[in-house]
Amino acid sequence: MRRPTLAGLLLAMALVPVLSSAQLVGRMEDNREQELAEMVSKSPVFAKGFTGFTLYDPTTQAYLHSQHADMFFTPASNTKILTLLASVKVLSNGMPLVFYVSSRDTLWCWGTGYPMLLHPDFQGVDVLLDWLKARPEGTIVLSDAHFMTPRFGEGWSWDDYVAGYQYDRADFPIYGNRVVWKKGVSNLPTAIPRYFDQTLVYRQEINGNTPVIDREETANVFYFGQGAVNKSALWEKVPFHYSVQLAAQLLSDTLQRNVISSRRPLPRKGQYEVVRQPVPDTLYRKMMQSSDNFLAEQLLLMASAERYGIISIDRILTYATDTLLRNLPAATAWVDGSGLSRYNQLTPRGLTQVLEQLNQQLDPELLRSLFAIGGRAGTIRNIYAGPGGKPFVYAKTGTLRNVHCLSGYVLTQTNRLLIFTFMHNNFPQPIDELKLEMNRILRWIHDAY
């Protein structure tokens, strides 16, 4: 056989196309996107339900992969990502704590939805309490005439009024609109605040189905049974039925001053004063990391108070949808701040673009610190841990029955920040199976990019 000459070899090599570095990177991207597409679309775990997914590069403004990106899903608590954006935008100059007028020996107050007053999770951060303590007036009057929001959101479960995740919306919330029941004398439950000790009644449990602490639907009458007595430890958070009259009574007990309620209308803008402070990062962080429904709802109410003077959830949601979300690729159904309602409808692409707006609005390190941190903090502290314990997933979870979503930011091994959204609806299997599959894919993204 005749061997090729050196000249022939050189000629053959010259005819082979030389790929530029950009072309090489492009081929690598194509290969990664194909592998990622197969991981998501052919996942036997995801195939049991309906899954939407996007992976977006904010630097190149390109989607690396998407599946059902423009289909509508129930987002559950991923709705709080929209609430965070609206709050950051509307409350950029600070949040209103209270509207007030001082007249002789009377301090007239109109609540703004400020949620931290005597809230057990914000001790030492509550500016309004210190301000009220320092006021010289002998009488404080609370008015809710400007409050135009139902206590429960559209589509909320009516029978969850006693659940520790569904609290009344309020103009002047106090103690987080909840009672904390703990062990007291003779193993009987005792309340924080103590005001509610007088409202507790023993009731025989029926078939063991009675909650440890129960409550009348429209009254602050609380029940306990033998289950509460027998528990070795008791720490139950139960919503109370809010009214401005109750807020006045609780505030009077705390301040040891005369506090009453009224229906006096809020004066025109310019005829009342406003107490204001910057929104503390801890407030946003508590909402996002712990998925706190109460804080999410109250933040939107504060945004309404800031923008309009009145507290109207419908009005602030209309503004946020028509203005802040006007550039989303599809119409959005947004009905509450927390995501408790199944009437909320979002697309993976739309949610990704909201995450991108937040990425442009906030300092990157601050933004990531507000979200739950994989393996470290919040609702994903027990999963999505990075190699060597180094965090790489910063995300918001959203869960209802047969609904689980995870959306946020993934930091790859090359320090590349990508935005992702997983939305799962109508699946029959345990949520842990979805979490493990998402963890596998996110770890692959971390390593591949």
Side-chain angles (χ1 to χ4, degrees), residues 195-342:
Y195 171 87
F196 290 98
D197 281 341
Q198 61 188 320
T199 69
L200 188 64
V201 178
Y202 180 83
R203 183 168 68 182
Q204 184 66 42
E205 295 169 333
I206 302 174
N207 300 325
N209 293 326
T210 303
V212 174
I213 302 290
D214 204 353
R215 198 200 83 200
E216 291 285 350
E217 181 180 352
T218 58
N220 286 308
V221 178
F222 293 85
Y223 300 100
F224 76 103
Q226 199 60 36
V229 176
N230 294 339
K231 282 179 72 74
S232 58
L234 181 65
W235 191 266
E236 295 286 322
K237 298 177 182 178
V238 182
F240 58 66
H241 184 62
Y242 178 85
S243 68
V244 70
Q245 293 83 7
L246 175 62
Q249 180 63 59
L250 292 174
L251 190 60
S252 179
D253 286 359
T254 299
L255 299 180
Q256 293 296 297
R257 293 168 65 181
N258 185 33
V259 184
I260 60 176
S261 61
S262 169
R263 289 288 296 171
R264 178 180 175 178
L266 180 70
R268 292 181 180 179
K269 194 170 184 178
Q271 297 180 353
Y272 60 84
E273 303 293 329
V274 184
V275 180
R276 189 182 301 280
Q277 76 165 110
V279 183
D281 296 341
T282 51
L283 182 55
Y284 288 145
R285 192 170 292 115
K286 175 72 174 174
M287 175 185 71
M288 297 297 288
Q289 291 194 356
S290 301
S291 201
D292 193 299
N293 297 323
F294 169 74
L295 297 179
E297 297 298 331
Q298 295 301 136
L299 274 165
L300 278 189
L301 298 187
M302 273 199 298
S304 176
E306 171 67 13
R307 185 167 179 81
Y308 301 111
I310 63 170
I311 301 179
S312 168
I313 192 72
D314 290 339
R315 194 163 178 182
I316 194 62
L317 284 175
T318 298
Y319 163 75
T321 302
D322 293 347
T323 303
L324 303 181
L325 306 182
R326 67 182 181 277
N327 293 325
L328 293 194
T332 296
W334 184 13
V335 303
D336 67 10
S338 59
L340 280 170
S341 176
R342 290 181 181 267

